[in-house]
Amino acid sequence: MAAATATAEVAEVRYGIVGVGMMGREHLHNLAHLSGEVGRADPPVRVVVTCLADPHPESLRLGLLLADELGLPVPQIWGPTKLEVLNPKQLEGFKTFSGHCELLDSGLCDAIVVSSPNMTHYQILMDIISHPKAHHILVEKPLCTTVQDCQKVEEAAKQRSDILVQVGLEYRYMPPVAKLIDIVRSGTLGQVRMVAIREHRFPFLVKVNDWNRFNCNSGGTLVEKCCHFFDLMRLFAAANPVRVMASGAIDVNHKDEVYDGKVPDIIDNAYVIVEFDNGSRGMLDLCMFAEGSRNEQEISVVGDIGKGEAFIPESIVRVGKRAGGRDGVVTIMAEDERIKYQGLHHGSSYLEHLNFLSAIRLQGASGPSVNLTDGLLSVAIGVAGQLSIEKGRFVTIEEVLAG
């Protein structure tokens, strides 16, 4: 196909980013690297970042500097033929806004990435969903900081069949995790009975105005950080949560920090047990003062006939069956050749964007790969865990869903 013909047939998806802090700029990187995996089929796709919104001037400045460094907003076309980069003059008026409402009213985008602080998600999502113009949404985790806000967003979105809402639980796409998911779904391990996830890592990073130091802003550590792992437990168990028991505390980090006269209340370590409706169980072992770890995440899934493990960032998967014993364990290096940018999450954010763009291009024929129910339940488990620590008892999912 001639270049001129390919250009004439191109479909364009215009992106806006709300929240241009660390994760917003990570999304800018991924959109700049987005390559032809989706666009190989006709019609080709032009991915364009047209606008940024953030009330924090320094974040906007850093976002603009990065956009310039990455060559944005030069439109890039990926199609069945070669990559073409259009003349920058063909796209004028790259805009920045101090608020998301101005971005919505600009008419400059078809899809919006919400990567603002957790406590802002609810109102931003409701404003996007209720806006007369349809905008597809990729919202960073957690969906919202409370179960009730998640439920309201889910109900509102049901009234808009013209938009897609995908939740940014991208750990599903990390190559070793995705490989382990495939192994589990193939039946290699038999019926899954136990899922154990260990995250031993560094403390929370510094964010704008230190918003992530307080439960009221983040939803609490088990919501803010661990919704990823509760989502994975549901996937591996192929079941929904019933009740949660947790023990956690603030033992090391942030104890000497004070913000506006207040000491942070986010826990830095916890054990969480989750019981599922098919009888399987999950356990999370979280420590955020464990920088001296070879792997940041270690995942174990045990079925009645075998066991699978994933290690990140080593990107190793190990699989063995009871009948084969230790000598039968196989080690696999997990890779995904589609990844063009590793970024902060080992390529998973890039794959997340591929999935989101695919869903947009299919125009509703296929739903988002991580939907609002997934986002809601990952938050519900985290909220139940936070409440369990506070109350010192098991907390049922029914209890937190009922409010």
Side-chain angles (χ1 to χ4, degrees):
M1 180 181 293
T5 304
T7 301
E9 295 177 355
V10 73
E12 181 177 84
V13 180
R14 303 171 302 161
Y15 283 79
I17 300 178
V18 175
V20 203
M22 182 188 72
M23 277 310 301
R25 296 193 293 275
E26 175 75 352
H27 286 294
L28 265 177
H29 271 291
N30 280 283
L31 288 168
H33 285 82
L34 202 59
S35 67
E37 294 298 324
V38 173
R40 286 178 178 174
D42 289 317
V45 179
R46 177 187 298 149
V47 172
V48 183
V49 179
T50 57
C51 46
L52 310 175
D54 198 303
H56 189 248
E58 178 64 9
S59 294
L60 271 184
R61 187 185 72 84
L62 292 173
L64 283 172
L65 285 174
L66 179 60
D68 181 64
E69 176 187 328
L70 294 172
L72 295 169
V74 179
Q76 299 181 21
I77 296 177
W78 293 273
T81 57
K82 65 179 183 179
L83 168 68
E84 291 187 359
V85 180
L86 302 183
N87 188 313
K89 292 181 180 179
Q90 293 183 254
L91 180 66
E92 297 180 354
F94 182 78
K95 299 290 186 183
T96 60
F97 303 96
S98 60
H100 66 280
C101 290
E102 293 88 344
L103 180 147
L104 287 171
D105 291 338
S106 72
L108 289 174
C109 50
D110 311 300
I112 297 177
V113 178
V114 178
S115 46
S116 56
N118 298 1
M119 68 286 189
T120 69
H121 287 187
Y122 170 72
Q123 192 58 57
I124 291 172
L125 289 170
M126 294 298 278
D127 289 343
I128 299 172
I129 292 168
S130 64
H131 197 272
K133 181 186 181 329
H135 298 87
H136 301 301
I137 306 166
L138 173 61
V139 55
E140 267 298 332
K141 61 79 191 167
L143 173 57
C144 298
T145 58
T146 71
V147 171
Q148 288 67 43
D149 283 351
C150 291
Q151 290 170 324
K152 292 174 187 175
V153 168
E154 186 174 38
E155 285 304 309
K158 288 178 181 177
Q159 311 307 313
R160 293 296 300 263
S161 60
D162 54 342
I163 69 172
L164 292 164
V165 186
Q166 179 167 313
V167 183
L169 293 165
E170 77 276 2
Y171 279 34
R172 296 173 173 223
Y173 306 123
M174 287 183 181
V177 177
K179 180 64 176 177
L180 187 54
I181 291 170
D182 288 343
I183 289 167
V184 169
R185 288 177 172 172
S186 74
T188 300
L189 310 183
Q191 176 64 47
V192 171
R193 306 312 308 172
M194 302 178 73
V195 180
I197 300 178
R198 169 183 289 169
E199 180 173 60
H200 282 193
R201 55 162 278 170
F202 48 89
F204 279 120
L205 300 174
V206 175
K207 298 294 182 73
V208 173
N209 296 328
D210 306 297
W211 66 264
N212 64 340
R213 293 307 196 249
F214 297 95
N215 291 333
C216 61
N217 295 329
S218 69
T221 300
L222 298 184
V223 172
E224 149 63 16
K225 185 71 201 74
C226 304
C227 57
H228 279 303
F229 307 121
F230 302 138
D231 178 60
L232 294 181
M233 287 181 188
R234 284 186 62 232
L235 281 178
F236 289 126
N240 284 323
V242 176
R243 64 176 188 163
V244 178
M245 178 65 188
S247 174
I250 313 168
D251 286 331
V252 176
N253 299 336
H254 316 303
K255 298 179 75 172
D256 58 350
E257 299 174 12
V258 179
Y259 304 96
D260 295 327
K262 298 178 181 178
V263 177
D265 59 359
I266 48 170
I267 63 173
D268 59 16
N269 70 99
Y271 292 115
V272 184
I273 297 171
V274 184
E275 295 181 347
F276 291 90
D277 60 10
N278 65 354
S280 58
R281 293 184 301 281
M283 184 187 73
L284 172 68
D285 166 3
L286 173 73
C287 181
M288 300 189 69
F289 44 90
E291 294 92 328
S293 302
R294 185 176 182 87
N295 284 293
E296 191 170 312
Q297 290 94 24
E298 299 179 1
I299 301 172
S300 169
V301 181
V302 184
D304 53 11
I305 62 173
K307 175 181 175 180
E309 297 175 283
F311 301 89
I312 303 156
E314 284 185 308
S315 206
I316 290 173
V317 175
R318 293 195 178 101
V319 187
K321 292 193 173 184
R322 296 176 67 187
R326 184 175 299 163
D327 292 338
V329 174
V330 175
T331 300
I332 304 164
M333 285 299 300
E335 299 175 338
D336 192 322
E337 63 183 15
R338 295 175 300 166
I339 296 172
K340 301 297 186 282
Y341 176 67
Q342 290 288 329
L344 300 175
H345 300 107
H346 314 292
S348 62
S349 294
Y350 181 86
L351 296 174
E352 171 183 61
H353 273 286
L354 284 181
N355 278 273
F356 182 52
L357 184 55
S358 293
I360 292 173
R361 292 182 69 249
L362 290 171
Q363 298 180 346
S366 175
S369 54
V370 187
N371 62 35
L372 288 169
T373 299
D374 296 323
L376 164 63
L377 289 175
S378 69
V379 168
I381 298 172
V383 167
Q386 293 282 152
L387 187 59
S388 176
I389 292 171
E390 178 186 339
K391 301 294 185 182
R393 62 173 173 83
F394 267 103
V395 174
T396 67
I397 296 301
E398 182 179 9
E399 178 182 346
V400 297
L401 290 178

